[in-house]
Every structure is written in structure tokens, then in C-alpha cells.
Amino acid sequence: MAERAAPGLLARWHRARRADGLALRSALPDRLLPLLVAAMAVLAALALAGATGAAILSARWSAGAASLLTIQVPDPDAPAASPPSTRADAVLAALADTPGASRVHRLDKAELAALLAPWLGQATEFALTLPAIIELHMAAETGADPDAASLARRLATVAPGTLVERNAEWGARLGRLADSLHGCALLAVAIVAGIAVVLIAATTRAGLAARRMPIELIHAMGASDGYIAGRFARRTALLAFVGGLAGSVAALPLLVLLSRVAAPFAQAAPSPAPASPADWATLLALLRDTLPTPLIVTLLALAPAAATIGWLTTQATVRAWLRTLP
């Protein structure tokens, strides 16, 4: 009797293998896992967008602050040491000869009013005489790095009391702030990845529990751990890939919106969106002009990364579970 039962069981095993492997469609549902992975992918995309944005802003803010010096000239309209020029004009003339200077700009009344608006409100006339504020922009390609103290001494000879403030310190502070945001974003990505691993492991264990008897049977008949783990891993990787792809598509509108909002801070004007993209090439060109290249690469990598995490987690979970079988 046992000899006749064994070939029958073996035949059913081969039919199940050809049809659905280990009947994983019922063990690992097609809806729950992709939906959860899609939610994780959206969170990961937002966290990686924050990391990418923080890195870009840090680089641009630090470079901009390092190449800018601010000069304050008290009593700008008073006669200079060498009349008939005023103190502000004398400073502007001295700054024009600064090696490596790319632009010298004196803030006008409207720019000063906008600068003081957070403290004094929208005022156009001030009771006190405001100092002249002059911005000295250094050319980045020249590598010039003037000493603020020596520049202040030179300007003091033509307009005593002139103050020179170097913005590199503020640039360093902004850089440290952006680096902190970058680290927090990467930590959020690691947490999301850890949650995904736990979620996939729990789903796999639920699938193993649902198919415990067939798995024990084929394992006792000689099915290797690699075969059983591979069946589960391929199924999970496919579902995770679908979920990661859906999450990337769902996160795309949010990332485009955030990129357009952050464009003024990054000194990049967003390109106007066409009413209706004509084809895929137009859509890809629009995304390339709207999103930073590292973020586009990240979006494209989310689905393969989700599939890889699913495959590795399922392999480890199934193999560990099979080692507990008698």
C-alpha cells in the first residue's frame, strides 16, 4: 500500500510544481505584500528626496557663502578722505581693484527695505542714516580667498569705520545643518528598509505556516532547501518589485511638487510643464529638467532594491525555518 501511495504523492507533487510550484498564490497573496511594499517605497522615496535635496542645498549654499563678502560703510554720503567722492563711492572704487572680484554690488533703498522688513516692517523711509551695504562676489574659478581683516584695513584708509564680514562661517553652519538633515534622511531610509525586512519576513513565515504540510512532505521526499527557498524567494521578489514600482510611480508627483517648491532655494528655476506630454521622450525630458539626476536614479532603483531585499529576506527566512524541521 505504501509503495502504491508514494508514486501517487510524487505525481501530485510534480503536477503542483508545474502548476504553481508550492501553491504560493494562496500562501503569498497578490495584493497585500505589493501594497505594503508600495507604501514603504513611497516613504523611502520621500526620505531619499530629503537626503538628495539636503546635499544639493549644502553644496550650493556653502559655495555661495564662501564666495561672498559683505561690506558695511557707515555715513555713506559723507565726504571721503579724498573729496569730492563720498565714502561709499571711495569704497566701491577700492573694491573694484580687488583681485578675483567678479561683481561688486551696492544694495539700493528697495533692497535695504526688503532686508530690514522682518524687523522694521515694510518701511521706505528711515529716521536714522543707514550704512551702505556692498556685496563683493569672488569668482569661484580663480580660487581667490581674500583675508577679511586685510581687506578691512585697506578700506579703512579710504573710509574709516568700514566693516567687512565674511560669510564663510554662515556657509559652514548651513553646511552642518544640511549634513544633519542628510544624515536624518539616510537614517529614515535605513528604518524603512528595516521595516520592509521585518514585514517580508513576517509575510514569508505566514506563507510557510499556510503551506506547512506540503512543504514538510516534499522536504521529506528529498526537495532541497535551495529549491523551496528559491520558490518562495522568486515569488516574494516579484511581488516586492511590483510594489516598489507602484510606490515609485505614486511618489513621483510628490517629488515633482517638492522639487518645484525647493527650486528657488537651490537657485534653479523650474521648467514650465507642458499641458500634455506628446510622448515618453517629452515626459522623460520634463522629469530630467524638474528632478535632480540623483533623485531620478533613486526612483529607478527603488523597484530593483525592493526585489533584492525581498529575495534575500525570504531566502534567509525560509532556510532558517527549514532547519527547524525534523
Side-chain angles (χ1 to χ4, degrees):
M1 179 70 68
E3 294 177 355
R4 290 196 300 272
L9 291 175
L10 188 60
R12 287 199 296 271
W13 172 44
H14 282 297
R15 285 197 299 270
R17 180 178 179 179
R18 289 193 300 268
D20 187 24
L22 297 174
L24 297 182
R25 291 184 184 276
S26 59
L28 299 176
D30 294 351
R31 296 182 180 87
L32 181 60
L33 185 59
L35 182 62
L36 295 176
V37 172
M40 295 294 103
V42 171
L43 295 177
L46 294 178
L48 289 170
T52 303
I56 294 175
L57 291 177
S58 173
R60 294 190 177 183
W61 286 348
S62 299
S67 61
L68 177 66
L69 284 84
T70 303
I71 295 95
Q72 300 182 31
V73 186
D75 298 325
D77 298 327
S82 56
S85 64
T86 63
R87 287 164 53 88
D89 293 335
V91 171
L92 288 171
L95 290 176
D97 299 332
T98 303
S102 62
R103 180 170 175 259
V104 179
H105 171 65
R106 178 182 178 181
L107 274 64
D108 56 25
K109 289 185 178 181
E111 291 172 320
L112 284 175
L115 187 65
L116 297 175
W119 294 273
L120 303 181
Q122 298 295 333
T124 56
E125 297 294 335
F126 302 96
L128 299 176
T129 302
L130 297 178
I133 305 297
I134 301 173
E135 295 178 345
L136 175 62
H137 297 264
M138 306 302 297
E141 62 272 8
T142 62
D145 188 15
D147 181 29
S150 61
L151 180 61
R153 288 193 296 269
R154 183 164 66 89
L155 296 179
T157 60
V158 296
T162 299
L163 301 177
V164 178
E165 179 181 357
R166 190 178 179 190
N167 297 325
E169 181 179 354
W170 287 102
R173 293 178 181 177
L174 289 173
R176 288 194 293 270
L177 174 61
D179 291 340
S180 300
L181 295 175
H182 186 265
C184 291
L186 293 181
L187 178 60
V189 173
I191 292 174
V192 169
I195 294 174
V197 169
V198 173
L199 174 67
I200 292 172
T203 304
T204 303
R205 286 187 174 276
L208 289 169
R211 306 300 300 164
R212 181 181 182 88
M213 293 185 63
I215 293 173
E216 289 181 347
L217 175 62
I218 64 174
H219 189 264
M221 295 174 62
S224 65
D225 292 359
Y227 166 75
I228 299 174
R231 285 291 189 175
F232 270 89
R234 283 193 292 272
R235 174 72 174 169
T236 305
L238 177 61
L239 296 178
F241 182 86
V242 172
L245 187 61
S248 301
V249 174
L252 186 58
L254 294 175
L255 298 183
V256 171
L257 178 61
L258 291 176
S259 296
R260 297 179 73 86
V261 171
F265 300 97
Q267 299 178 351
S271 303
S276 57
D279 50 22
W280 284 104
T282 305
L283 180 60
L284 291 177
L286 173 62
L287 292 178
R288 188 174 60 250
D289 294 338
T290 304
L291 298 178
T293 301
L295 192 53
I296 295 176
V297 174
T298 297
L299 279 177
L300 295 177
L302 275 180
T308 302
I309 291 175
W311 191 89
L312 293 175
T313 303
T314 305
Q315 281 277 351
T317 303
V318 174
R319 289 176 182 271
W321 185 84
L322 290 174
R323 284 195 293 268
T324 63
L325 294 180

